[in-house]
Amino acid sequence: MGIQRRHFLQRTGGLALAALMQARPVEAAEERFCTPNDPLQALIAGNRRFAEAWRQAEQDEGTTHRTADPDPRCFNSPKALATSQHPWATVLTCSDSRVSPSWVFDTTPGELFVIRNAGNSAFDEAMASVEYGVSVLKTPLLMVMGHSGCGAVTAAMDANPLTPSLDRLIQPIRKNINGSSDLEEAVKRNALASASTLIQRSAVLADAKASGALKLVVGYFQLSSGVVTLIE
Ligand SMILES: [Zn+2]
């Protein structure tokens, strides 16, 4: 990991991940969740840490020698991001709190254009946002990603009554999974179907794919291992 990048991650939320990775192994029974007493205060405090790292990253620019950086991966400067963005992938995935693409793919601000909804459905608003990522921001890669233990897909497999809004959200998933009773299989079917819907219903995306300007892949994120497997 490059020096700038590592420093930035250590100063921001990456701090939590770095701590997690350096922590001594915990007992299997020691399962913990972060539940702040005051959630709004926790958001504000987290943003202050991020903003401080952001300010520091901008200050460091020009003083850090990127040529000495053995990591070829990109790190966008805050100064550049203040006026523009050039993300290199569009990701359509689930709203699940454990599935944040920035974490899953170890990226920093400005790298991913992300669209999320419960169940990673390709309904109209999601499709419009994907089109923006591909046709305006020109991301060369589009990933649709489902994940293990998906609550939205689980709800689509159940017959339990939902609120009217949730029922509308679940309908396309129910159709996509086509009666599957295995959650992993259903999640994969749903992600594959979302990807197909994007190409079938969006001429912009279909053209970009056909011309080779866009590569479309479908991923499955396994929560227990942290690994994303390409299924298409
Ligand atoms: Zn989910």
Side-chain angles (χ1 to χ4, degrees):
M1 187 179 284
I3 291 166
Q4 274 192 326
R5 182 186 176 83
R6 184 169 57 234
H7 285 182
F8 183 80
L9 288 174
Q10 283 173 349
R11 288 194 203 104
T12 59
L15 201 60
L17 190 62
L20 181 75
M21 287 156 70
Q22 285 164 12
R24 63 186 168 72
V26 291
E27 300 298 322
E30 194 184 327
E31 290 184 358
R32 291 172 293 116
F33 290 97
C34 296
T35 46
N37 291 328
D38 185 337
L40 177 58
Q41 190 50 43
L43 282 185
I44 291 169
N47 176 252
R48 293 292 180 273
R49 292 192 297 274
F50 175 85
E52 171 56 23
W54 199 240
R55 190 192 62 76
Q56 197 63 47
E58 189 167 342
Q59 214 171 60
D60 290 350
E61 246 177 285
T63 59
T64 307
H65 299 291
R66 190 179 294 214
T67 47
D69 190 339
D71 188 343
R73 280 185 301 176
C74 180
F75 180 89
N76 295 301
S77 71
K79 198 174 284 177
L81 292 179
T83 54
S84 184
Q85 61 168 325
H86 298 281
W88 44 263
T90 296
V91 182
L92 170 62
T93 192
C94 186
S95 297
D96 192 293
S97 63
R98 304 160 295 181
V99 183
S100 171
S102 294
W103 285 119
V104 172
F105 298 112
D106 185 27
T107 53
T108 56
E111 297 189 76
L112 301 182
F113 187 75
V114 176
I115 300 99
R116 298 175 73 177
N117 60 61
N120 42 268
S121 287
F123 41 61
D124 290 350
E125 292 81 354
M127 187 175 305
S129 294
V130 171
E131 284 184 349
Y132 183 81
V134 172
S135 67
V136 179
L137 299 176
K138 308 282 184 204
T139 62
L141 179 66
L142 167 61
M143 176 183 280
V144 178
M145 185 173 79
H147 69 98
S148 63
C150 184
V153 174
T154 302
M157 292 167 73
D158 293 342
N160 296 333
L162 300 161
T163 67
S165 300
L166 274 174
D167 198 59
R168 274 197 298 280
L169 180 86
I170 294 304
Q171 284 312 319
I173 304 176
R174 211 162 256 164
K175 218 172 92 189
N176 290 343
I177 64 179
N178 197 19
S180 175
S181 57
D182 177 79
L183 180 57
E184 179 171 338
E185 185 194 62
V187 165
K188 289 178 177 174
R189 279 188 188 180
N190 183 51
L192 289 164
S194 285
S196 295
T197 301
L198 289 175
I199 295 304
Q200 282 163 15
R201 294 190 43 214
S202 167
V204 165
L205 297 177
D207 289 351
K209 185 168 181 276
S211 73
L214 178 70
K215 184 177 173 63
L216 169 63
V217 296
V218 181
Y220 177 77
F221 175 49
Q222 177 62 255
L223 285 163
S224 58
S225 66
V227 174
V228 174
T229 308
L230 294 185
I231 56 174
E232 186 176 280

